[in-house]
């Protein structure tokens, strides 16, 4: 009995794709399958409705992370006492690593001279460090290695990265202290010197591809620049006298993790597979693998309704953890508002503790392996990224591509496509473009951002820096205009909800209209519904709203729409909107309806023009 296998599927008749398709088509009731059940990523990768062993792409995959990922706490204050206190608190309360942003060029952060004070009392042999030195990588590396030497422990006890990334710094900030070629040579020399010491677990280079993600890159574009940048550093190190194997061991990667869980998992898996292919192609042993850091996406974070950032951070951390990241940084939910408060930092740590320890996500190596969908996404992303990588290499590598701006143009094209979907709310932003709260209370426990450096050294290399994009940026510009109008005049811009008939007739469209306008900070003033036009005129006049939106059923629009529009015009309404998309709006437009709002219309354009109608107040 104990040897008998339990096969639950044997109790059910076999189902094939044709049977499934027949049931789907019945449920779709004539709607096109490809439009409803298939979609594409911004890389053009098809997302199928169903993945089976027949259409899945499962390919060989290198060894993934084995064991827990490191919980990394970020620090970007310019106050060494604050950085020190927060690092110690983070390490005492669950973090296993820390990252420090250093002041460099026009970027604020910790001054290199304050590094000693910031790390006072920190056991550097017990916590992994991750430095972000920018263009000051030489000085920062020297200071950090000096602290480690004076710490007095054996070289093998230290683990971290000096964070040298001159090409990423040039792309992000648009400048370097030296010519790029000289900066590469200096960076490679640091790696060569470090490879001759006992500090074999300290990496020199950290290829931070998240800077391209912030600029609007797709998954494949981010990975392609990761590969091309990493190869540039390998070449520089080999030129400095290192073997390919030693050079590969001196590099680690950082990728952005966003809230698209399944594509995010596939991206991190693809990064490991792609780099193994690069190392193997260079003649080195790819079995040791690459160290991959994840940082939750700045691009996905919002200023408005920042509590939703907790959910975004959780989804991103899940994706990075399941995808095999070795270390994860969850940015606190108040990151965009200033220096994070203690509560926000605690929540960011606890997200990881809950996912890694309480949910046991880190106890299985590559838990997504064998998933038909994720395996297929991984393979497709690898194909796209490798093709883009080859294109970059054919144009001379990262530096020529950055100088020519060719790849940046590709990223900008990807961003324009994404921006169009954001504007139409096809890509919804919870708390901003969907379910906004115009009267939300601001967070209190947030400090001011560090001051910009007062003195910036002359640059040896300059180019146009990558743009900094956020998904919510244009909606939040309008929200901030609304806040300014409230502060200056005591009232936000308003739109009157002119409901026709009973609540059953207009509630659905009134709810849509409220979310539509409040996404741009235009406060929706509700009503109880009207059939008497005199009551409608009186209610609108008392609302103090310059705009109105008529909401009701199609039948109500036929019977009351014209009268409602005429009544609102008589009451002085400067712009009338109608929720819905009538097949023939000619008569409504003649009566004064200026614009229809509906699912799929350009919400940002409509809201921007509404503020233009307000004139100087906007």
């Amino acid at each position: 009995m104990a040897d008998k296998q339990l096969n639950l599927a044997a109790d059910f008749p076999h189902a094939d794709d044709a049977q499934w398709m027949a049931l789907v088509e019945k449920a779709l009731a004539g709607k096109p399958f490809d439009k409803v059940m298939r979609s594409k990523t911004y890389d053009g990768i098809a997302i199928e409705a169903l993945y089976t062993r027949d259409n899945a792409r499962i390919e060989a995959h290198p060894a993934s992370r084995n064991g827990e990922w490191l919980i990394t706490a970020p620090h970007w204050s310019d106050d060494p006492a604050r950085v020190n206190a927060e690092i110690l608190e983070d390490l005492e309360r669950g973090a296993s690593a820390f990252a420090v942003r250093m002041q460099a060029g026009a970027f604020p952060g910790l001054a290199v001279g304050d590094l000693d004070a910031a790390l006072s009392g920190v056991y550097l042999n017990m916590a992994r460090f991750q430095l972000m030195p920018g263009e000051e990588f030489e000085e920062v590396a020297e200071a950090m290695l000096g602290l480690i030497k004076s710490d007095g422990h054996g070289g093998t006890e230290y683990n971290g990265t000096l964070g040298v990334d001159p090409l990423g710094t040039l792309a992000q900030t648009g400048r370097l202290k030296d010519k790029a070629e000289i900066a590469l040579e200096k960076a490679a020399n640091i790696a060569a010197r470090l490879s001759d010491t006992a500090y074999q677990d300290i990496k020199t280079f950290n290829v931070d591809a998240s800077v391209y993600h912030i600029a609007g890159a797709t998954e494949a574009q981010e990975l392609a620049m990761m590969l091309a940048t990493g190869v540039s550093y390998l070449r520089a190190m080999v030129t400095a006298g290192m073997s390919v194997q030693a050079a590969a061991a001196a590099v680690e990667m950082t990728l952005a993790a966003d809230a698209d869980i399944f594509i995010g998992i596939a991206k991190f898996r693809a990064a490991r597979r792609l780099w193994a292919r690069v190392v193997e192609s260079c003649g080195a042993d790819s079995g040791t693998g690459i160290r991959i850091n994840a940082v939750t996406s700045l691009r996905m974070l919002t200023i408005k309704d920042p509590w939703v950032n907790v959910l975004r951070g959780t989804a991103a951390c899940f994706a990075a953890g399941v995808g095999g990241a070795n270390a994860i940084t969850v940015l606190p939910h108040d990151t965009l508002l200033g220096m994070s408060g203690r509560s926000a930092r605690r929540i960011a740590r606890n997200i990881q503790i809950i996912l890694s320890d309480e949910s046991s996500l880190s106890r299985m190596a590559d838990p997504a392996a064998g998933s038909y969908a994720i395996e297929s996404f991984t393979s497709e992303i690898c194909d796209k990224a490798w093709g883009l990588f080859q294109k970059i290499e054919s144009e001379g590598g990262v530096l020529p591509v950055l100088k020519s701006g060719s790849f940046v143009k590709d990223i900008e094209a990807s961003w324009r496509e994404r921006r169009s979907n954001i504007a139409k709310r096809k890509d919804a932003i919870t708390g901003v473009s969907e379910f906004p709260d115009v009267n939300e209370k601001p967070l209190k426990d947030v400090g001011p951002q560090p001051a910009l450096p007062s003195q910036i050294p002359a640059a040896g290399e300059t180019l146009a820096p990558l743009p900094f994009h956020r998904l919510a940026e244009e909606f939040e510009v309008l929200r901030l205009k609304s806040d300014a109008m409230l502060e200056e005049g005591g009232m936000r811009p308003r739109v009157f909800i002119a409901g026709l008939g009973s609540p059953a007739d207009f509630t659905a469209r009134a709810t849509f209209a409220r979310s539509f306008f409040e996404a741009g900070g235009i406060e929706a003033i509700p009503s109880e519904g009207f059939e008497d036009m005199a009551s409608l005129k009186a209610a609108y006049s008392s609302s103090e709203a310059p705009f109105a939106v008529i909401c009701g059923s199609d039948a109500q629009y036929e019977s009351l729409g014209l009268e409602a529009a005429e009544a609102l015009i008589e009451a002085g309404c400067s712009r009338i909107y109608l929720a819905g998309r009538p097949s023939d709006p000619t008569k409504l437009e003649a009566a004064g309806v200026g614009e229809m709002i509906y699912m799929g219309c350009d919400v940002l354009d409509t809201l921007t023009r509404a503020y233009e109608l307000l004139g100087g107040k906007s």
Side-chain angles (χ1 to χ4, degrees):
M1 188 71 179
D3 294 333
K4 186 177 180 180
Q5 293 185 348
L6 183 63
N7 189 352
L8 296 178
D11 294 333
F12 298 91
H14 175 71
D16 57 27
D17 287 351
Q19 291 173 299
W20 175 80
M21 181 63 77
L23 292 172
V24 170
E25 289 178 346
K26 180 180 179 180
L28 291 178
K31 295 178 182 178
F33 178 88
D34 286 345
K35 184 176 181 179
V36 177
M37 301 297 290
R38 287 194 175 110
S39 61
K40 287 187 176 181
T41 72
Y42 286 102
D43 281 311
I45 296 171
I47 300 177
E48 300 293 340
L50 180 69
Y51 288 88
T52 66
R53 67 179 63 193
D54 296 324
N55 67 350
R57 283 189 58 187
I58 301 179
E59 299 177 359
H61 193 71
S64 185
R65 182 198 71 241
N66 186 14
E68 296 181 353
W69 68 76
L70 294 182
I71 299 173
T72 306
H75 302 274
W76 61 93
S77 173
D78 57 358
D79 179 0
R82 175 171 184 156
V83 172
N84 180 251
E86 291 183 350
I87 288 177
L88 292 173
E89 181 180 46
D90 288 332
L91 294 176
E92 290 171 356
R93 297 178 180 273
S96 45
F98 61 90
V100 179
R101 163 74 69 180
M102 306 301 295
Q103 178 181 306
F107 268 50
L110 187 71
V112 65
D114 292 328
L115 188 59
D116 190 1
L119 300 182
S120 177
V122 177
Y123 295 124
L124 297 176
N125 61 320
M126 297 178 66
R128 189 174 200 272
F129 63 87
Q130 181 179 331
L131 301 180
M132 294 171 279
E135 65 181 46
E136 299 289 346
F137 62 84
E138 270 193 298
E139 292 78 1
V140 171
E142 183 180 354
M144 189 67 196
L145 292 174
L147 288 176
I148 289 173
K149 289 175 183 177
S150 64
D151 199 41
H153 294 277
T156 56
E157 295 185 42
Y158 296 99
N159 192 312
T161 177
L162 299 176
V164 178
D165 186 18
L167 293 176
T169 298
L170 178 61
Q172 183 183 34
T173 68
R175 53 166 283 150
L176 287 171
K177 288 170 60 178
D178 301 303
K179 294 293 291 182
E181 293 81 1
I182 296 174
L184 277 170
E185 182 180 346
K186 289 181 176 180
N189 287 335
I190 294 173
R193 290 195 300 271
L194 192 59
S195 68
D196 291 333
T197 69
Y199 304 119
Q200 295 303 302
D201 289 327
I202 297 179
K203 310 285 188 182
T204 298
F205 289 96
N206 181 11
V207 178
D208 187 359
S210 69
V211 300
Y212 302 100
H213 170 89
I214 296 170
T218 64
E219 288 78 20
Q221 288 170 336
E222 183 182 359
L223 290 172
M225 288 302 282
M226 178 200 81
L227 294 176
T229 304
V231 168
S232 296
Y233 294 155
L234 291 181
R235 291 191 180 111
M237 285 185 279
V238 170
T239 301
M242 297 173 64
S243 68
V244 175
Q245 192 71 42
V251 178
E252 66 183 38
M253 311 293 185
T254 294
L255 297 171
D258 65 17
D260 190 335
I261 291 176
F262 296 113
I263 296 298
I265 293 171
K267 180 176 80 171
F268 279 88
R269 298 182 80 247
R272 194 171 298 279
R273 186 183 298 178
L274 287 165
W275 186 250
R277 185 175 177 182
V278 166
V279 172
E280 186 177 355
S281 299
C282 293
D285 178 14
S286 62
T288 55
I290 182 68
R291 183 176 188 85
I292 301 176
N293 307 305
V295 58
T296 53
S297 167
L298 270 174
R299 191 173 79 183
M300 73 177 178
L301 296 185
T302 62
I303 295 172
K304 292 299 182 181
D305 203 352
W307 291 109
V308 183
N309 291 335
V310 177
L311 303 180
R312 297 185 180 103
T314 302
C317 182
F318 181 95
V322 173
N326 299 94
I328 301 176
T329 301
V330 173
L331 298 176
H333 62 271
D334 60 358
T335 294
L336 295 176
L337 302 176
M339 292 306 302
S340 294
R342 189 176 184 184
S343 174
R345 288 175 33 246
R346 175 176 174 268
I347 291 171
R349 286 193 311 267
N350 287 351
I351 286 172
Q352 298 208 56
I353 292 170
I354 291 171
L355 289 177
S356 175
D357 298 342
E358 296 186 23
S359 301
S360 301
L361 287 186
S362 62
R363 295 188 181 183
M364 179 182 292
D366 198 10
S371 163
Y372 294 145
I374 294 175
E375 289 279 15
S376 298
F377 295 156
T378 303
S379 298
E380 295 288 346
I381 291 173
C382 282
D383 288 350
K384 291 285 185 179
W386 191 260
L388 293 173
F389 164 58
Q390 290 179 314
K391 182 174 182 289
I392 295 168
E393 287 292 285
S394 70
E395 295 177 14
V398 172
L399 188 55
V401 162
L402 288 177
K403 289 181 177 181
S404 70
S406 60
F407 198 79
V408 175
K409 291 178 182 177
D410 293 339
I411 292 176
E412 289 172 348
S414 298
W415 176 254
R416 285 194 297 272
E417 182 184 0
R418 190 185 300 270
R419 186 245 174 228
S420 176
N421 287 335
I422 293 170
K424 297 174 182 178
R425 298 199 297 182
K426 292 181 179 179
D427 289 357
I429 307 169
T430 304
V432 179
S433 68
E434 294 282 11
F435 311 108
D437 179 5
V438 292
N439 296 310
E440 69 178 75
K441 295 180 180 180
L443 299 182
K444 295 180 179 180
D445 185 24
V446 181
Q449 293 281 19
L452 295 175
S454 58
Q455 294 183 340
I456 302 174
E461 183 85 61
T462 60
L463 50 75
L466 291 171
F468 181 100
H469 284 306
R470 290 187 307 106
L471 304 181
E473 60 190 12
E474 292 185 85
F475 279 105
E476 290 186 332
V477 165
L478 301 179
R479 293 284 297 275
L480 292 173
K481 284 184 179 182
S482 174
D483 292 345
M485 293 173 69
L486 176 64
E487 186 174 347
E488 293 171 9
M491 187 171 68
R492 298 184 187 278
R494 293 181 172 184
V495 62
F496 178 72
I497 304 291
L500 302 182
S502 68
D505 295 318
F506 67 80
T507 294
R509 281 176 168 163
T511 302
F512 167 80
R514 176 175 181 171
S515 179
F516 186 104
F517 284 100
E518 293 193 346
I522 300 175
E523 185 176 7
I525 306 301
S527 66
E528 295 182 357
F530 305 96
E531 293 186 1
D532 174 59
M533 294 304 108
S535 299
L536 172 59
K537 288 171 64 176
Y540 171 75
S541 298
S542 65
S543 71
E544 300 183 79
F547 312 130
V549 54
I550 299 173
C551 300
S553 65
D554 289 345
Q556 294 289 355
Y557 291 161
E558 289 285 340
S559 60
L560 295 174
L562 296 178
E563 294 179 60
E566 291 167 353
L568 289 167
I569 291 292
E570 291 173 8
C573 183
S574 63
R575 183 72 166 177
I576 300 174
Y577 301 87
L578 184 135
R581 200 175 187 181
S583 57
D584 184 8
T586 307
K587 293 181 180 179
L588 289 166
E589 290 172 344
V593 173
E595 191 166 353
M596 316 295 165
I597 62 171
Y598 50 87
M599 292 289 292
C601 74
D602 193 323
V603 180
L604 265 176
D605 179 63
T606 300
L607 295 174
T608 300
R609 287 186 285 104
Y611 275 91
E612 290 172 356
L613 290 172
L614 296 172
K617 293 182 180 180
S618 65

